[in-house]
Structure formats: C-alpha cells, structure tokens
Amino acid sequence: MGLLQEKFAKYDLPQQFMAKGVYPYFREIDSHQDTEVLMDGKKVLMFGSNAYMGLTYDKRIIDAAKAATDKYGTGCAGSRLLNGTLDIHVQLEKELAEFVGKDEALCFSTGFTVNEGVIPQLVGRGDYIICDDRDHASIVDGRRLSFATQLKYKHNDMEDLEKELQKCESDAVKLIVVDGVFSMEGDLANLPEIVRLKKKYNASIYVDEAHGLGVFGRQGRGVCDHFGVTDDVDLIMGTFSKSLASIGGFVAGDKEVINWLRHNARSYIFQASNTPAATAAAREALHIIQNEPERIQRLWDITNYALEAFRNAGFEIGDTESPIIPLYVRDTEKTFTVTKLAFDEGIFINPVIPPACAPQDTLVRVALMATHTKEQIDYAVEKLTKCFKQLDIIK
C-alpha cells in the first residue's frame, strides 16, 4: 500500500456507522423529488430537499428544459469566455440582475463555484475578508484562495464583527462575506446592523442568498430585499439548485465589478458553461416565482405551522426564522441513529455533523417546501417526537 492509500485507509468513520446500520448518506432515490419520494423501494416523506418552492417536477419547467435541449443540444462544449455563451445565458443574467436590484449579473455552472471563483478576485494582498464563522463551505473555500488577510467573527455577533473591522487598515478594502440565511441553522444574518458597520468602517458587503431567494422579500427577491438593504449590499450571490429548481448560480453587482469578474473569475472563464436545459429551467422557475406569489405564501403558511408544532412538541430548534428547521441532538451517534429511526418511520431528514457544525451542535435538518401539507407536518412531528424520545433527546 502506498503512502497516499495509507493516509486515507485510516478514515473509518463511514465504516463505523455502516457496521451499526445507521449510515445515512448516499441513499438512492427512485423517483422525482417532491414531498414524497421512493427510496429503497418504499415511499418516504421528503424533508431533506432545498426545493423550497416545490418546482423540481413542475411541467412548465420540464418543458422549458426539453425545448432548450431541442434547440441548443445537451451542452455548450466550452466556457462562457470562448464558445459557450448562448443567448439564453445572457437573457437569464439580465433578468436576475433586475430581480435582485443590481446593474448586471454573471451566471456560473454551480453555486459553489460562484463563491469559489468570485471571492478571491474581489480582494488581494493588503485587503481583508471578514466572515461569519458559520458561513457556507463554498465561502470558506473561496476565502482560502485569496491572498487577503482573513478574519472571522462569532456567528451573528455584531460586537465581534466590529472588533474585527477595527483591526483593519482604514484605506484597505474590507469585504464582509455572509450567508443571508444560514443553511444548517435557518437563522438570518443581521443585515441591518452589518450595513451600519459597513458605513461606519467603509467596508463592502457580499451576501450569499442561496437559501433566501424564492423565500424572503418581495416576490422572493431574498433577505437583502426583506430587510430593505439591497442598495447597501455590494454583491448578491444566489443559486439555481434550491428555489429555482435547476443547477447553477450567479453573482450580481455594479457593472464595473461584474465586468472585472467576467474577465478574471477563474471558475467562470475556465469552466464549461451551464447546460441549455439547466439555464432554461432556472429561467422558467424565476418567471413562475415572480408570477405566483401565492406559492411563497403557501411556503410561509406551512413554515409557521411547522415551527409552532415542533416548538410545542418540545424540540430545541434554535433561532430559525425560515423553512430550515434544525432539530438539535448534540451527539453525533444519536444524530445518525435518530436519522435511521426516522427513515424507518417513513421520514427522510438530513443529519448534520462536523465539519458542517460544531461537535456540540449536531442536529437533524428539516427543510420545507411550498408543496408540503399540514397533514404531512403533523405526521413528521408525531414520528420524530417518538424517535427523539426513544433516544432520550427530548422528554
């Protein structure tokens, strides 16, 4: 066995939990994604999807993807810089920029590569990146690729953010990068206070709206719109793989900044452009969200119903204000075990363990869609209460 193989042969975490029959990952789904799916040959309620609008099997979106494939083919066979720019890419960018209230936008092939490619190109030596310590892994990887000085502040702790800003040189670029909605905990960034500190210390703000688009703000424009701070946020990033029922991502901002990124963001200029089908699907989903406000209202009706139900049942759900509901377990083995027990009861939920959270903050993550029903929520609360009590997580 070579040194490379020896290094990774010691990684036995999956095997430990496989041996106990509670390994929860990479389960195969045999159907389309909706509130109910087929897994391992049986029907289970899906509470692990980020498809907040419930659009992944909408016929209008499927038809748009088919029509784009018929017209353009299955792929672009090149980067946007060279032969990979289609008219529908440009149209989607214009519509996204208008939607989030910015001059221009750039579309990438995944949301992860937006943060990975954009953040390092915004700041360099002599500049600063200041991140919330619970920012998404894509933000972490993006900042690691930068030569800027990297600072972190305690989660949503504005006093700690101010202390970090005070460490920065006054004439340097200071980029605050933050999730609008934190993907595991479901709480919101304190954007009004971050904007106040931005102005006080002459900083800039980059907001990841991956879990905010389609959920918060007017017509689902996101958390920046929800707080009324869009004009004070310098760059807004979003993904297509949640509410927009596709795959891809974008960043929007002032035309000068976007023009720089268009010619310098490595994950944009060296990556094959998004497929015609994915681009058309995201665009159609954007139109549906804008034209069907009742869909967002349904999501919030079911979210408020579920938040109250889980609290009343005695679950610890933290400070969530979104369709992401963390059910805290605070023990890795119990987190995997309760996930297995829930699956046996016909409920799919996502376990969250390090490095996605601190060791003492392990949880299972319940995510809601506009297409969930109150009856499905009632069933989930009943069965999850049973599972949590069985492991003495709640009384």
Side-chain angles (χ1 to χ4, degrees):
M1 182 182 293
L3 292 177
L4 182 66
Q5 290 78 9
E6 286 182 11
K7 176 179 179 179
F8 297 112
K10 299 173 184 177
Y11 179 61
D12 62 351
L13 181 65
Q15 286 74 23
Q16 290 178 31
F17 290 105
M18 285 177 185
K20 296 175 182 177
V22 295
Y23 185 71
Y25 301 122
F26 304 106
R27 288 189 180 275
E28 296 179 13
I29 298 175
D30 310 320
S31 65
H32 65 272
Q33 290 254 9
D34 204 346
T35 59
E36 190 175 83
V37 300
L38 284 175
M39 301 180 76
D40 295 348
K42 74 172 187 176
K43 291 181 180 180
V44 296
L45 292 178
M46 172 52 71
F47 285 101
S49 172
N50 294 321
Y52 303 117
M53 289 291 96
L55 287 171
T56 54
Y57 201 62
D58 189 284
K59 188 176 186 303
R60 294 165 292 180
I61 296 175
I62 294 170
D63 287 346
K66 288 180 178 178
T69 302
D70 287 340
K71 180 176 180 178
Y72 300 100
T74 56
C76 297
S79 70
R80 288 289 304 277
L81 182 71
L82 300 175
N83 63 298
T85 293
L86 304 176
D87 54 359
I88 55 173
H89 289 132
V90 177
Q91 290 162 8
L92 178 57
E93 287 171 340
K94 289 179 179 177
E95 292 176 17
L96 286 167
E98 182 179 358
F99 184 61
V100 299
K102 293 299 176 186
D103 291 347
E104 294 184 8
L106 286 183
C107 288
F108 291 63
S109 297
T110 69
F112 198 103
T113 55
V114 178
N115 288 335
E116 189 178 51
V118 169
I119 293 171
Q121 292 302 325
L122 297 174
V123 283
R125 288 186 176 88
D127 298 329
Y128 298 86
I129 299 176
I130 308 101
C131 293
D132 187 293
D133 66 9
R134 293 188 189 172
D135 277 347
H136 189 263
S138 58
I139 294 175
V140 174
D141 281 8
R143 68 174 174 79
R144 284 174 175 169
L145 291 171
S146 170
F147 293 109
T149 300
Q150 299 177 26
L151 304 171
K152 287 193 294 183
Y153 62 94
K154 297 173 186 175
H155 178 54
N156 253 346
D157 186 328
M158 297 298 99
E159 289 186 8
D160 199 41
L161 171 57
E162 183 160 19
K163 288 178 183 177
E164 296 303 318
L165 286 166
Q166 289 170 347
K167 297 176 182 177
C168 303
E169 297 291 336
S170 60
D171 59 348
V173 173
K174 297 168 282 291
L175 182 67
I176 303 168
V177 185
V178 65
D179 286 313
V181 181
F182 290 90
S183 59
M184 297 297 108
E185 298 83 6
D187 55 340
L188 309 186
N190 188 349
L191 289 183
E193 184 63 11
I194 292 173
V195 166
R196 185 188 72 80
L197 292 173
K198 163 199 167 161
K199 294 177 179 178
K200 182 176 180 180
Y201 292 95
N202 192 25
S204 301
I205 303 175
Y206 179 110
V207 176
D208 182 327
E209 286 274 24
H211 297 269
L213 287 176
V215 179
F216 289 89
R218 296 166 301 142
Q219 296 180 302
R221 285 181 167 87
V223 176
C224 296
D225 185 87
H226 168 74
F227 284 119
V229 297
T230 296
D231 290 344
D232 294 309
V233 170
D234 299 271
L235 288 136
I236 293 174
M237 172 270 179
T239 60
F240 304 160
S241 54
K242 281 79 175 175
S243 291
L244 295 185
S246 185
I247 185 71
F250 73 94
V251 64
D254 295 343
K255 61 181 181 180
E256 295 84 3
V257 178
I258 296 302
N259 185 53
W260 165 261
L261 294 172
R262 185 180 288 115
H263 294 90
N264 290 276
R266 293 170 68 85
S267 62
Y268 178 80
I269 61 176
F270 292 108
Q271 180 173 234
S273 57
N274 213 349
T275 65
T279 304
R283 189 170 177 230
E284 182 63 23
L286 181 63
H287 297 167
I288 293 171
I289 291 171
Q290 290 175 296
N291 293 322
E292 297 183 3
E294 66 275 11
R295 187 175 290 271
I296 299 174
Q297 186 58 52
R298 284 203 303 272
L299 175 64
W300 278 106
D301 288 344
I302 205 69
T303 295
N304 291 329
Y305 183 83
L307 288 171
E308 182 178 9
F310 278 113
R311 286 193 177 104
N312 289 342
F315 288 89
E316 181 190 356
I317 65 172
D319 298 320
T320 180
E321 301 177 58
S322 72
I324 300 166
I325 305 178
L327 308 180
Y328 282 93
V329 179
R330 303 193 184 283
D331 177 282
T332 297
E333 185 160 347
K334 284 186 177 181
T335 298
F336 279 178
T337 302
V338 81
T339 302
K340 172 64 164 57
L341 292 175
F343 186 81
D344 291 342
E345 295 285 356
I347 299 169
F348 181 91
I349 48 178
N350 289 314
V352 181
I353 65 167
C357 66
Q360 69 275 15
D361 292 332
T362 67
L363 57 95
V364 292
R365 178 183 185 271
V366 173
L368 303 174
M369 293 180 272
T371 43
H372 277 120
T373 66
K374 290 183 178 179
E375 291 75 20
Q376 289 172 330
I377 298 298
D378 290 340
Y379 182 86
V381 172
E382 176 191 348
K383 296 303 181 182
L384 288 171
T385 299
K386 173 186 173 182
C387 297
F388 270 59
K389 286 185 175 181
Q390 183 176 334
L391 295 176
D392 201 30
I393 302 167
I394 61 175
K395 305 299 182 184

